Amino acid sequence: MSLNTVKEQPLAVELCRTWLKRETTHPLLFYGPENAGKKRLALELAKALNCTHGSAHRRDGEPAPGRRVAGPPTDACDQCLSCRKITAGKHPDVRVIDLAWQAAERKEPVEKQQNLRIETVMNERHRLLQSAGEGEWKVSILNDAHKMTADAANVLLKILEEPPSKTAIILTTPFRDRLFQTILSRCQPVRFRYVEHEVIMSHEEVEAHQEAEKLWDLLKTTPSTRLVQAAEGRSRTVKTGRPEIEDKIQRLLVPATRALRTGDTRAQKPVQLMQRALQRLRHNVQPALVYDHLLLELSTARKSTVPR
């Protein structure tokens, strides 16, 4: 994807393009209804800032080699290593701070997180004051910024007043009026409009498939217990009946069967395990247990087939 794909929010996209052209570090505030695409546009903006191809197009339309040419960034290619890392949530210079992130950092269940705490914001502020590790820009997306405690907001205020160079701070919230006025006054507001339900559902489907692709890759490197803990944490916050679990497995089958069709025989065992899990679901086995057991089996199968 790129900024061009966020067609349902033309005004917000145009404001972001203007912000890019100015090469400013002025913090941004994305506000508007739930599921209007605020986080999605923030990530596309992060891609544009760090893309090594999309923003480096020559006038003849061909991508320039290497890093971006002189001049402000304009858009993302969604194909270079930087773009792919941001999509997968693995880019070291781009971070989404929310309650789920805080829970993972504190090694606590998501349901115990009520607010974004001062320690979370202090750690992120410290990161932004450091040099970028890989890309050109450090990007911090504070999702649901209205959940910051007063102390956390005061810590954030210090860096909003004078952001370091090549640093983008993007706050998102459906409740602009819950933010402190001192925070509001230091951010450029970007309003998001209501989006029709059908459009939201289509984007959620795309994100669900991206999550499945990400999980397929993580199965090779992430400890099985962490995968199960993450799944359990999400199951407490979202509906996880039989249809939802079946959809998760069907989506995970997509990258697995693609690998098998392209000649990767190591994907054969994972495909068989997923097909067996779908059969268990249809025999009234408890859905959450089926999914957790499948993650354990897949993790073992993927690690045992990684070439040495």
Side-chain angles (χ1 to χ4, degrees):
M1 295 188 288
S2 69
L3 294 175
N4 290 328
T5 65
V6 191
K7 299 182 185 301
E8 66 276 9
Q9 298 291 349
L11 180 58
V13 170
E14 189 56 36
L15 288 172
C16 287
R17 289 193 187 283
T18 301
W19 183 89
L20 284 170
K21 290 176 183 176
R22 292 174 180 166
E23 292 192 277
T24 179
T25 58
H26 195 156
L28 295 166
L29 171 63
F30 289 2
Y31 72 98
E34 293 274 14
N35 299 315
K38 298 184 290 295
K39 179 181 172 183
R40 183 162 67 98
L41 182 55
L43 287 171
E44 294 305 323
L45 199 59
K47 289 181 189 178
L49 289 168
N50 286 296
C51 181
T52 58
H53 286 159
S55 299
H57 276 66
R58 301 193 187 100
R59 292 188 178 180
D60 60 6
E62 293 299 320
R67 298 189 67 78
R68 194 166 50 231
V69 294
T74 57
D75 210 340
C77 70
D78 217 40
Q79 297 176 359
C80 68
L81 181 60
S82 175
C83 284
R84 286 187 280 116
K85 281 189 174 183
I86 294 172
T87 296
K90 296 179 180 178
H91 199 293
D93 298 315
V94 178
R95 187 174 289 177
V96 178
I97 304 298
D98 55 16
L99 296 184
W101 167 268
Q102 181 173 271
E105 287 293 289
R106 297 176 65 86
K107 297 180 174 58
E108 296 176 347
V110 175
E111 65 268 19
K112 289 188 66 175
Q113 316 306 311
Q114 302 299 320
N115 301 102
L116 288 172
R117 306 180 188 184
I118 184 172
E119 314 92 84
T120 300
V121 177
M122 285 182 69
N123 289 339
E124 183 61 6
R125 176 174 173 267
H126 178 74
R127 182 184 76 90
L128 293 176
L129 291 171
Q130 308 306 308
S131 300
E134 184 175 304
E136 291 194 23
W137 283 72
K138 301 183 297 295
V139 182
S140 180
I141 302 169
L142 274 76
N143 215 25
D144 287 335
H146 61 279
K147 294 183 179 179
M148 283 187 294
T149 64
D151 288 340
N154 284 332
V155 169
L156 179 66
L157 185 61
K158 295 177 181 178
I159 199 164
L160 292 181
E161 290 173 338
E162 194 173 347
S165 62
K166 297 289 185 178
T167 297
I169 304 173
I170 307 170
L171 282 62
T172 80
T173 179
F175 306 109
R176 182 186 181 188
D177 57 334
R178 295 188 190 177
L179 292 174
F180 292 100
Q181 185 57 42
T182 49
I183 298 288
L184 293 174
S185 65
R186 286 161 177 80
C187 296
Q188 177 181 333
V190 179
R191 183 179 179 183
F192 283 66
R193 306 287 181 175
Y194 173 79
V195 180
E196 294 292 337
H197 177 71
E198 291 77 10
V199 176
I200 292 174
M201 292 304 294
S202 66
H203 288 314
E204 286 180 354
E205 186 65 19
V206 170
E207 290 177 358
H209 279 287
Q210 289 175 340
E211 282 293 317
E213 296 279 353
K214 179 180 176 182
L215 176 57
W216 175 249
D217 290 334
L218 288 174
L219 285 167
K220 289 191 296 185
T221 57
T222 306
S224 56
T225 52
R226 284 187 59 186
L227 291 170
V228 173
Q229 287 171 357
E232 288 176 345
R234 286 191 294 270
S235 69
R236 295 188 184 102
T237 57
V238 298
K239 185 180 178 182
T240 52
R242 182 167 287 102
E244 289 74 29
I245 295 297
E246 187 168 348
D247 284 346
K248 283 177 178 288
I249 298 174
Q250 293 284 9
R251 281 192 287 264
L252 191 55
L253 264 170
V254 173
T257 54
R258 182 178 63 238
L260 190 58
R261 287 169 183 167
T262 56
D264 185 358
T265 57
R266 295 169 297 171
Q268 184 173 355
K269 180 65 173 178
V271 169
Q272 292 173 344
L273 290 172
M274 284 183 255
Q275 291 171 337
R276 193 181 307 159
L278 289 172
Q279 290 175 350
R280 291 198 196 107
L281 281 177
R282 291 157 191 159
H283 285 86
N284 295 319
V285 180
Q286 190 173 348
L289 289 178
V290 171
Y291 189 63
D292 289 351
H293 184 63
L294 174 63
L295 289 180
L296 291 172
E297 289 184 319
L298 288 175
S299 180
T300 301
R302 289 284 277 158
K303 290 181 179 65
S304 64
T305 54
V306 174
R308 296 181 181 179

